[in-house]
Amino acid sequence: MKDKSTKNIRLRWLTILPRFIMVVSFFVLIIFGILLTNIFALNKPPIPLQDAILSILIGLVLTALVVSLYFLLNSVIQPLKALREDIDSVKFDTNPLINSDEATGTSITNIENSLRFDDIYSRMERQAEVSQDETSQLAFSIARLLHKLRHAYEDQEIKIHDRMEAINKRAMQFHNTSEITREINASKGSDDLEGLLSRVAELITTKFGYYFTGIFLIDPKQRSVVLHAGSGEAGKTMKKRFYSVRIGESSLVGYAAMTGFSRIVNDVMSDFLHQKEPSLPLTQSEAVFPLLVKGSVLGVLDIQSVEKNTFDSDQLAVLQVLSDLLAFAIENRVQETALAQASAEVKTLYQRYIEQSWSVKKSGNANTGFEYNRLEIHPIDKSIEPGLIAQLQKGVAVILPDENGIDKVGLSVQGRETLLAPILMYNKLVGVVGLEGSADSSGEGGKQSWTPEDIQMVQSLTNQIALAMDNARLLEESQTQAAQLRLLQEVTSAASAHTDLGELLDHVTQTLRADLDIQYCGAVLFDQSQQFGHVAAGSSIDPNSAHNRFCDYQWPLRDTPAIEQLIRNGKSILINDPVHNMTTAPLHFMFQQVNTSQLVLIPLVLRSQVIGMLDVHFSGYQRDINDDNLRLFDQISLQIASAIEVAQSFQEATLKAERERKISEVVRHIRETLDIQTILRSAAEDIQKTFDLPEVTVRLIATEQNKEKNKFEG
């Protein structure tokens, strides 16, 4: 503001300077005339004419000088004044982007200034042509310089405006990209893959102003890319039609899916790969981006626009980033889904395993329920009603308010509230804790109400009980598995330690009987027709056992359903109460005499054929034999069958070697003589001794050729 006031003061001084000089010169002339008059008055004598004329001439000269100086200063100052006024009349727009026209993007003030500068420049040019003086030429030069500066300023302003537009456009693209990225990241685990793809397709279309956005995923079974999400009504229509494109098909999407490269078409009419889609009739340009993760194509991102030349380098860079983010989001979602499915399957299998394990525990002879009555702990065998079990399976404690409810769980004290808390393992009900309320202070046995704090404490207690029970179960199963492995190892060692079949079966039956702590274990081998089986070995806990009476017994195979099933399936069979079981009807008399309460038949399978079996007899109480035990027996049978094959092969090789040795011995004796009679006698004698035969006959047979030869010689 101070600089502007100073400039105005200077401009006013330049304006009044010629007038000031004119006034000063006029006063100087008056003073000069007064001085001359006084000089002439003081001298008294008449003034010479020459002096008077000289004085007048001096005054005129001074006046002419003053006037000339006035016009000279005026000619210098007036052009500069006019130029200064014109320059000051121009208003510079310091914020052209705010005052710019929205349609053209050009400042209205700048247009007015440009016109005013052109007018000043034209006027100064005409004035310079007319006056041809140095001052006008100087003013014109200054105006021309200002004109050039103005054009340079306008060009720079246009460049700045274009750059600002580009910056704003890129900032908007980054903003849209970040918004879509937030949507992709925020949706992790919140919904399914289809929902994520649909939202991303709609966001890309709305935020960037495209005509259509489609997201295709590869179907490896059909070797095609299937549309999983599309924007707008066209996308919904195409998705209802299960729109898909074959990989490698003559289309932009098929090309990207096959090659893994992007393809940009700014004019679809000039590209032979573009396929016209009836649902998208206004498409003028199209861009496809493969969704790549570690070099593998997961799908294709398809973007279409209604304008030609839509996709510039900036847009392509942004879309490439979006396609990469979308590919990683799809891969993560697929892996999360697969992991969730695998986790659910593992959880389901483990729940079944837990349920099966505890079912085996419940089906055994051990007590599964106990009660404490303030005096002692004793077992209980009453079960809980199914209705209560259904409530407890939900994981919520149940309060039984009356004595009828108490009787439902087998508790003895009546007239008090009973709290039932479930024992859960992996969301499976494995047990129940029942607590009876204590008597009131009067000792009259009144009911006690269970508070939420009491229920929470009991539930915490049941969680600890469940953990302890699971640890005990795992320890017991580990010990059982270790014992089974030890048994399998011992049987395998016993089987592989012998090459004689009889010794092998004797050792195996003794090992099984001792390790399983059973009454009797025998080995039965089947004949070639599988009609009968003979006892090849047996081991009994009592040397005088009744089992010894059946050592030469022939087991009927075809008439016994249990053995027929064994031969047909090749799997171990558990038979409870074989004395009265109809599947062992032909053998009831034997099992009754040996007092067998449980029987396990273990097949000996060699090259998919059952060659025999092991019969394991249990007496007294019934054992808890489950599927795991039967699978262990199957493993044992495989090891024994392999050892039997080795023993049989060894025996066959030994017999063959012995036979060949004896034949070699007979041949050696025969070759020691050349007399035919001696050879025949020696052959008959050696064969009879070597092979221990009751009678051997060796004779020569007269052939027709020998008869003709003897007749000719005779």
Side-chain angles (χ1 to χ4, degrees):
M1 189 68 183
K2 183 177 180 181
D3 295 339
K4 187 175 181 181
S5 300
T6 304
K7 291 178 182 178
N8 292 333
I9 292 173
R10 291 176 181 175
L11 182 61
R12 286 197 297 270
W13 273 106
L14 289 174
T15 305
I16 65 176
L17 182 60
R19 299 175 184 174
F20 177 75
I21 294 175
M22 190 70 182
V23 172
V24 171
S25 301
F26 179 74
F27 280 109
V28 170
L29 290 175
I30 293 175
I31 293 172
F32 180 74
I34 293 172
L35 290 176
L36 289 177
T37 303
N38 290 333
I39 293 173
F40 291 147
L42 291 176
N43 291 331
K44 299 288 185 179
I47 301 173
L49 181 59
Q50 294 85 354
D51 294 338
I53 293 172
L54 181 60
S55 299
I56 293 171
L57 290 175
I58 292 173
L60 292 174
V61 170
L62 291 176
T63 302
L65 290 175
V66 171
V67 172
S68 300
L69 182 61
Y70 172 77
F71 284 106
L72 178 62
L73 292 175
N74 194 43
S75 63
V76 173
I77 293 173
Q78 286 302 323
L80 296 178
K81 176 184 176 183
L83 179 61
R84 185 58 179 269
E85 290 177 351
D86 290 334
I87 293 174
D88 289 340
S89 65
V90 177
K91 299 178 180 179
F92 289 95
D93 188 5
T94 59
N95 197 356
L97 296 178
I98 297 178
N99 300 323
S100 61
D101 190 302
E102 294 182 356
T104 62
T106 306
S107 174
I108 298 175
T109 305
N110 292 343
I111 295 176
E112 295 176 353
N113 289 342
S114 297
L115 295 175
R116 190 166 298 167
F117 265 116
D118 293 339
D119 182 62
I120 294 172
Y121 180 75
S122 300
R123 189 169 66 251
M124 289 297 177
E125 185 178 13
R126 290 194 300 270
Q127 185 176 354
E129 291 177 354
V130 173
S131 62
Q132 295 294 329
D133 58 355
E134 294 296 333
T135 304
S136 297
Q137 295 293 332
L138 177 61
F140 173 68
S141 299
I142 295 174
R144 183 170 56 188
L145 177 61
L146 292 176
H147 183 70
K148 292 180 179 180
L149 291 175
R150 179 58 191 174
H151 280 289
Y153 173 77
E154 289 177 352
D155 293 340
Q156 191 66 24
E157 190 176 80
I158 292 173
K159 292 180 180 180
I160 293 174
H161 180 267
D162 293 340
R163 289 181 181 177
M164 289 300 296
E165 280 189 344
I167 292 173
N168 292 334
K169 183 179 179 181
R170 184 169 296 180
M172 183 59 65
Q173 289 176 347
F174 285 139
H175 173 73
N176 295 334
T177 304
S178 63
E179 187 172 349
I180 297 173
T181 303
R182 284 195 301 269
E183 177 64 27
I184 293 174
N185 295 330
S187 62
K188 284 186 176 180
S190 62
D191 56 356
D192 58 348
L193 181 61
E194 298 292 333
L196 170 64
L197 298 182
S198 298
R199 289 198 306 276
V200 171
E202 293 292 343
L203 281 174
I204 292 176
T205 301
T206 55
K207 294 298 182 181
F208 292 96
Y210 294 128
Y211 179 41
F212 172 77
T213 300
I215 301 175
F216 296 79
L217 295 183
I218 286 183
D219 184 0
K221 296 181 180 179
Q222 302 295 332
R223 286 197 52 81
S224 61
V225 281
V226 182
L227 180 68
H228 281 250
S231 61
E233 294 298 327
K236 296 178 181 178
T237 302
M238 296 170 66
K239 191 174 179 182
K240 288 180 180 179
R241 292 192 286 112
F242 300 100
Y243 182 78
S244 63
V245 178
R246 297 285 297 178
I247 298 177
E249 182 179 333
S250 179
S251 66
L252 294 175
V253 175
Y255 168 82
M258 181 183 68
T259 63
F261 293 104
S262 305
R263 190 174 180 89
I264 313 302
V265 180
N266 279 315
D267 185 4
V268 296
M269 301 303 295
S270 62
D271 193 279
F272 68 95
L273 286 179
H274 174 73
Q275 283 187 348
K276 193 72 173 180
E277 171 59 36
S279 301
L280 302 169
L282 303 180
T283 299
Q284 295 295 324
S285 56
E286 185 176 4
V288 290
F289 300 88
L291 303 177
L292 294 171
V293 175
K294 297 179 181 180
S296 300
V297 180
L298 302 181
V300 177
L301 175 63
D302 181 23
I303 299 176
Q304 301 182 23
S305 175
V306 296
E307 298 178 357
K308 295 181 179 180
N309 301 319
T310 299
F311 304 104
D312 55 15
S313 58
D314 293 337
Q315 290 192 27
L316 294 178
V318 171
L319 293 176
Q320 185 63 54
V321 171
L322 283 178
S323 65
D324 294 339
L325 291 174
L326 185 59
F328 281 108
I330 293 172
E331 176 69 11
N332 292 336
R333 186 57 55 87
V334 170
Q335 291 182 355
E336 289 175 1
T337 303
L339 181 61
Q341 291 178 352
S343 177
E345 291 177 358
V346 170
K347 185 176 181 181
T348 302
L349 291 175
Y350 196 73
Q351 287 178 350
R352 292 178 181 175
Y353 171 72
I354 292 293
E355 186 176 0
Q356 182 181 3
S357 299
W358 286 105
S359 297
V360 172
K361 294 291 183 185
K362 295 176 184 177
S363 63
N365 297 320
N367 294 318
T368 58
F370 295 90
E371 180 184 20
Y372 175 66
N373 56 8
R374 294 190 179 183
L375 296 177
E376 61 179 357
I377 298 176
H378 60 87
I380 56 176
D381 56 357
K382 292 185 178 181
S383 60
I384 302 176
E385 291 187 353
L388 289 176
I389 292 179
Q391 297 181 30
L392 293 170
Q393 283 178 344
K394 299 178 182 179
V396 180
V398 177
I399 298 177
L400 304 179
D402 52 25
E403 59 185 27
N404 294 328
I406 296 174
D407 290 337
K408 295 178 182 179
V409 294
L411 299 177
S412 58
V413 180
Q414 300 181 357
R416 301 171 186 172
E417 286 186 344
T418 301
L419 174 64
L420 299 181
I423 301 176
L424 300 176
M425 287 187 184
Y426 303 96
N427 298 327
K428 285 294 182 181
L429 182 67
V430 297
V432 179
V433 174
L435 301 175
E436 295 178 351
S438 61
D440 57 12
S441 59
S442 63
E444 298 179 357
K447 298 181 180 180
Q448 170 182 305
S449 298
W450 294 95
T451 63
E453 291 77 10
D454 296 334
I455 297 175
Q456 184 176 2
M457 181 187 67
V458 173
Q459 288 179 340
S460 301
L461 177 63
T462 58
N463 293 334
Q464 297 300 320
I465 293 175
L467 182 60
M469 292 173 60
D470 195 32
N471 291 335
R473 179 188 60 82
L474 292 174
L475 177 60
E476 184 177 351
E477 289 182 355
S478 299
Q479 293 174 347
T480 301
Q481 291 177 359
Q484 291 176 350
L485 291 175
R486 184 173 62 253
L487 174 61
L488 180 60
Q489 182 180 3
E490 291 179 357
V491 173
T492 303
S493 300
S496 59
H498 301 280
T499 57
D500 182 73
L501 183 58
E503 295 178 357
L504 185 151
L505 294 177
D506 286 336
H507 196 172
V508 166
T509 54
Q510 291 175 8
T511 302
L512 281 176
R513 185 199 58 75
D515 288 344
L516 296 177
D517 191 19
I518 58 179
Q519 180 185 7
Y520 175 81
C521 178
V524 179
L525 297 180
F526 299 161
D527 58 7
Q528 294 294 331
S529 61
Q530 291 188 341
Q531 295 293 330
F532 296 96
H534 67 278
V535 178
S539 176
S540 176
I541 191 173
D542 183 9
N544 300 322
S545 173
H547 288 281
N548 296 330
R549 296 198 298 268
F550 296 95
C551 291
D552 298 330
Y553 178 72
Q554 296 288 330
W555 288 58
L557 305 182
R558 295 302 180 183
D559 297 333
T560 308
I563 299 179
E564 288 181 348
Q565 180 183 352
L566 180 79
I567 296 174
R568 184 171 56 253
N569 298 332
K571 299 294 183 182
S572 299
I573 300 176
L574 171 64
I575 303 172
N576 293 314
D577 192 13
V579 176
H580 301 93
N581 197 305
M582 296 306 298
T583 60
T584 59
L587 305 173
H588 283 175
F589 72 97
M590 182 180 67
F591 297 141
Q592 187 174 7
Q593 292 186 23
V594 299
N595 193 23
T596 301
S597 60
Q598 276 181 308
L599 176 67
V600 176
L601 299 180
I602 305 173
L604 300 176
V605 183
L606 184 61
R607 296 189 182 95
S608 302
Q609 183 179 3
V610 179
I611 63 172
M613 67 179 183
L614 299 177
D615 53 308
V616 179
H617 297 252
F618 298 89
S619 61
Y621 67 90
Q622 291 188 350
R623 305 287 184 92
D624 296 332
I625 300 176
N626 52 31
D627 293 338
D628 291 337
N629 300 128
L630 295 179
R631 283 192 289 269
L632 172 64
F633 292 147
D634 289 335
Q635 292 293 326
I636 291 175
S637 70
L638 292 176
Q639 300 298 326
I640 297 175
S642 299
I644 290 175
E645 181 183 16
V646 173
Q648 289 179 343
S649 300
F650 182 79
Q651 286 184 350
E652 291 176 358
T654 302
L655 292 175
K656 184 178 179 180
E658 182 65 20
R659 188 182 303 111
E660 290 179 353
R661 186 189 65 78
K662 291 179 179 180
I663 293 173
S664 299
E665 186 70 20
V666 172
V667 172
R668 184 178 63 79
H669 287 167
I670 292 173
R671 289 179 178 178
E672 289 179 354
T673 180
L674 299 177
D675 183 58
I676 295 178
Q677 297 296 327
T678 305
I679 291 174
L680 294 177
R681 284 195 302 269
S682 177
E685 183 180 359
D686 290 342
I687 292 174
Q688 191 273 332
K689 291 180 179 180
T690 302
F691 295 99
D692 193 18
L693 300 175
E695 183 179 353
V696 176
T697 301
V698 180
R699 66 178 63 183
L700 294 176
I701 299 175
T703 62
E704 294 296 330
Q705 183 178 3
N706 290 334
K707 289 180 180 180
E708 292 294 332
K709 181 178 179 182
N710 293 333
K711 183 178 179 181
F712 176 78
E713 291 177 353

